[in-house]
C-alpha cells in the first residue's frame, strides 16, 4: 500500500491531476450542477496542506470518484440499449492508467475512450499530455452534456475533443493510436458482441496501436499481432507494432 501511495501522490502526473480536479470542483458551472463537491475539494486541500500522503490519496480518490460519476443518467432509450448490450454504467477507471499512459501518447496522437462516461479520463489525459485529439464515445447524452461542462471548465480547446453519442459498435476507431476502455459490457450474449465488434475494428488496423483495458475482456478477441506488455489484474496493456 505504501508503494501505491507513493506512485499516486509523488508521480509527476499527480500535480496536474490534482490541480485539474480542484479546478473542476471550484468552477461555478460545475458547482451549480453538483453542489456537494465543495467538501471533497476542502478535504483534499486540507490533506495537501498537512502534507499527509495517506490522507491526500484518500481525498484525491474521493474527489476523482465523485467527478467521474457526475451525470451518470440514461434516457429510457439509452437504458434499453445499455441493457441490450449487457452494458455497465459509468465506473471510475482509477488513477493508475493516467500515470502509465503518458509515455505512449505523443503530441500528434489520437486517443479514443470507448465508453467514456463524462469523459473525465480523456480530459485528464489532455491536461497531462496535450495531444491532437481525444475521441470520447458514450451512449448517455447526459454524461456527454456534463463532459462538455468539464471540458470548458478545464480550458481544453474544442478541436481537441470529439464527443460521439453512439453505441461503441457503430463507431470507427481508425484514427486512434491509443485506445482506452473499462469493461463496457458483460462478456455474455449481447455484451460479447461488443468485444467482437471492437476487436474486428482493431484487428483491421495496420498502424501501431496501444490499448489500455481495465478489467479486460478483450484479449481473447484480438489477433496474434497484439501482445500484452503489462498487467496487474486491474489494468491490462496491449501493443500492436
Amino acid at each position: 500500500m505504501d508503494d501505491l501511495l507513493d506512485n499516486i501522490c509523488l508521480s509527476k502526473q499527480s500535480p496536474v491531476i490534482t490541480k485539474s480536479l480542484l479546478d473542476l470542483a471550484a468552477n461555478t458551472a460545475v458547482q451549480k450542477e453538483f453542489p456537494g463537491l465543495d467538501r471533497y475539494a476542502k478535504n483534499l486541500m486540507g490533506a495537501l496542506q498537512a502534507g499527509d500522503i495517506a490522507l491526500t490519496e484518500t481525498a484525491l480518490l474521493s474527489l476523482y470518484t465523485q467527478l467521474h460519476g457526475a451525470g451518470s443518467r440514461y434516457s429510457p432509450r439509452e437504458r434499453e440499449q445499455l441493457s441490450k448490450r449487457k452494458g455497465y454504467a459509468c465506473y471510475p477507471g482509477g488513477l493508475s492508467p493516467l500515470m502509465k499512459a503518458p509515455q505512449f501518447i505523443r503530441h500528434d496522437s489520437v486517443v479514443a475512450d470507448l465508453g467514456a462516461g463524462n469523459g473525465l479520463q480523456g480530459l485528464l489525459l489532455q491536461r497531462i499530455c496535450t495531444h491532437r485529439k481525444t475521441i470520447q464515445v458514450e451512449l448517455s447524452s447526459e454524461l456527454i452534456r456534463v463532459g462538455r461542462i468539464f471540458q470548458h471548465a478545464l480550458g481544453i480547446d474544442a478541436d481537441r475533443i470529439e464527443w460521439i453519442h453512439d453505441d461503441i459498435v457503430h463507431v470507427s476507431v481508425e484514427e486512434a493510436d491509443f485506445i482506452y476502455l473499462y469493461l463496457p459490457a458483460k462478456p455474455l450474449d449481447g455484451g460479447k458482441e461488443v468485444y467482437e465488434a471492437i476487436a474486428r475494428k482493431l484487428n483491421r488496423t495496420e498502424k501501431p496501436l496501444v490499448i489500455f483495458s481495465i478489467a479486460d475482456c478483450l484479449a481473447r478477441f484480438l489477433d496474434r499481432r497484439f501482445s500484452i506488455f503489462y498487467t496487474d489484474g486491474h489494468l491490462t496493456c496491449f501493443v500492436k507494432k
Side-chain angles (χ1 to χ4, degrees), residues 138-195:
E138 174 52 44
L139 187 62
S140 164
S141 57
E142 175 63 11
L143 281 165
I144 291 177
R145 185 187 72 82
V146 171
R148 292 183 185 278
I149 294 172
F150 285 1
Q151 179 182 351
H152 187 264
L154 292 173
I156 298 173
D157 293 342
D159 63 354
R160 293 200 182 273
I161 304 291
E162 179 181 358
W163 298 95
I164 300 179
H165 178 216
D166 203 345
D167 187 326
I168 293 169
V169 303
H170 300 148
V171 178
S172 170
V173 293
E174 290 181 3
E175 274 191 279
D177 45 53
F178 184 98
I179 303 285
Y180 177 90
L181 71 159
Y182 181 177
L183 195 66
K186 300 173 186 176
L188 307 171
D189 288 344
K192 187 173 71 170
E193 286 83 350
V194 173
Y195 297 105

Side-chain angles (χ1 to χ4, degrees), residues 66-118:
Q66 291 298 313
L67 287 165
H68 198 290
S72 186
R73 290 188 292 277
Y74 299 81
S75 71
R77 182 178 179 182
E78 292 164 352
R79 179 65 65 181
E80 181 182 357
Q81 186 68 10
L82 193 70
S83 177
K84 175 185 175 183
R85 295 295 188 197
K86 300 295 190 294
Y88 284 102
C90 182
Y91 288 105
L95 299 181
S96 172
L98 300 176
M99 306 297 175
K100 293 179 168 54
Q103 61 184 302
F104 304 104
I105 299 175
R106 307 177 307 275
H107 181 70
D108 61 347
S109 287
V110 174
V111 174
D113 186 341
L114 307 182
N118 61 29

Side-chain angles (χ1 to χ4, degrees), residues 179-235:
I179 303 285
Y180 177 90
L181 71 159
Y182 181 177
L183 195 66
K186 300 173 186 176
L188 307 171
D189 288 344
K192 187 173 71 170
E193 286 83 350
V194 173
Y195 297 105
E196 289 173 336
I198 293 171
R200 279 196 299 271
K201 298 174 194 292
L202 300 180
N203 290 338
R204 288 197 298 265
T205 302
E206 296 300 329
K207 64 183 179 182
L209 184 66
V210 172
I211 305 170
F212 272 32
S213 177
I214 308 295
D216 181 63
C217 289
L218 188 60
R220 68 190 179 101
F221 301 106
L222 295 172
D223 69 29
R224 293 181 180 180
R225 294 175 299 166
F226 289 89
S227 59
I228 295 172
F229 65 88
Y230 175 85
T231 185
D232 59 13
H234 172 67
L235 170 64

Side-chain angles (χ1 to χ4, degrees), residues 10-68:
L10 301 181
S11 78
K12 64 182 180 180
Q13 286 82 31
S14 182
V16 180
I17 293 171
T18 301
K19 184 178 186 307
S20 297
L21 297 182
L22 289 173
D23 285 348
L24 286 171
N27 181 268
T28 304
V30 176
Q31 288 179 345
K32 184 178 179 180
E33 294 275 343
F34 312 103
L37 288 173
D38 188 53
R39 68 185 180 93
Y40 295 96
K42 286 180 178 177
N43 288 342
L44 176 53
M45 289 187 289
L48 288 167
Q49 289 169 0
D52 188 313
I53 292 178
L55 283 179
T56 298
E57 188 224 25
T58 300
L60 182 66
L61 289 174
S62 294
L63 178 56
Y64 163 80
T65 301
Q66 291 298 313
L67 287 165
H68 198 290

